[in-house]
Amino acid sequence: MGAVAFKEWAVICRALAAGRQSVILRKGGIAETGGEFRPEHPRFLLLPTYFHEQQRAGIKPEYLPELDAAEADRPPPGTLRFTHVADVTAVRKLTDLSAALAIDPAHAWTPETVRQRFHYRAPGLYLMTVRVSALPAPVEVRDRTEYAGCKTWVELADDVPIAGATPVLTDAVFDRYSGLVETLLTAATRSSS
């Protein structure tokens, strides 16, 4: 059973579900202690959020079809739909903007979005590499007022079964993707030294 959900832009959830990216960049929510993200849970359900214009302006043009598909598949008001679960395989705090920009091929955010998020409040971003799996069937639960707000983690009142979830990427493809992220970060670290 899974009872923890992670709020993320719907377009990013869609890219994760499609295997187009396996990283999540996070600054931190206003409601989080000190306004800083904490990777509190090693496994979580992806909870898509819908702020259409913010997402449209913040992603690369090649991801716009994912955004349109996410909007078209949006659940009805008062309902949350879960389709994927993520397992964290690595967490890094990026304190150098060049490292954050170096992983550009690995995610949907525009470089300008990365810069804005990196510099918001205090410099830095968290990078989580995640292994995403599709639930056997979508699960819908009632939205609750306590799930609202600028927070990353949501403790769900309802359990969501995750048994039988299937990875969206094969082991070999996921390993190549993770290796690419590490290679990009290592190269950025070397060039900034």
Side-chain angles (χ1 to χ4, degrees):
M1 297 295 208
V4 175
F6 180 90
K7 287 185 179 181
E8 182 56 88
W9 287 3
V11 64
I12 301 299
C13 289
R14 199 79 186 191
L16 290 161
R20 292 188 69 188
Q21 75 178 61
S22 290
V23 296
I24 297 173
L25 294 168
R26 182 55 54 131
K27 183 65 172 200
I30 295 167
E32 293 175 300
T33 305
E36 186 163 320
F37 172 72
R38 304 235 188 307
E40 298 173 11
H41 304 279
R43 171 179 277 173
F44 49 82
L45 294 156
L46 293 174
L47 175 53
T49 60
Y50 298 87
F51 303 103
H52 187 75
E53 291 310 313
Q54 175 191 21
Q55 292 183 32
R56 184 167 292 281
I59 62 167
K60 298 170 188 164
E62 61 268 30
Y63 285 86
L64 289 176
E66 298 283 359
L67 177 59
D68 294 336
E71 285 291 332
D73 195 35
R74 188 176 186 166
T79 302
L80 302 177
R81 182 179 299 131
F82 297 101
T83 60
H84 290 79
V85 62
D87 289 289
V88 178
T89 62
V91 178
R92 290 182 114 156
K93 185 169 185 184
L94 305 179
T95 56
D96 183 345
L97 179 59
S98 64
L101 292 171
I103 60 166
D104 182 71
H107 61 80
W109 278 4
T110 63
E112 184 55 30
T113 301
V114 171
R115 281 186 196 89
Q116 289 172 354
R117 293 294 176 100
F118 185 89
H119 289 299
Y120 182 65
R121 288 188 291 238
L125 279 174
Y126 277 92
L127 166 72
M128 287 193 307
T129 304
V130 292
R131 184 84 190 262
V132 175
S133 298
L135 300 180
V139 176
E140 292 187 350
V141 300
R142 184 173 58 88
D143 197 358
R144 297 171 177 262
T145 55
E146 62 264 29
Y147 300 163
C150 296
K151 55 188 169 189
T152 300
W153 303 104
V154 176
E155 300 283 337
L156 299 172
D158 303 290
D159 280 337
V160 175
I162 60 173
T166 307
V168 298
L169 297 176
T170 65
D171 291 347
V173 172
F174 181 76
D175 289 346
R176 276 197 308 272
Y177 183 92
S178 299
L180 169 67
V181 171
E182 289 304 314
T183 299
L184 293 170
L185 288 172
T186 300
T189 303
R190 284 189 190 135
S191 67
S192 66
S193 297

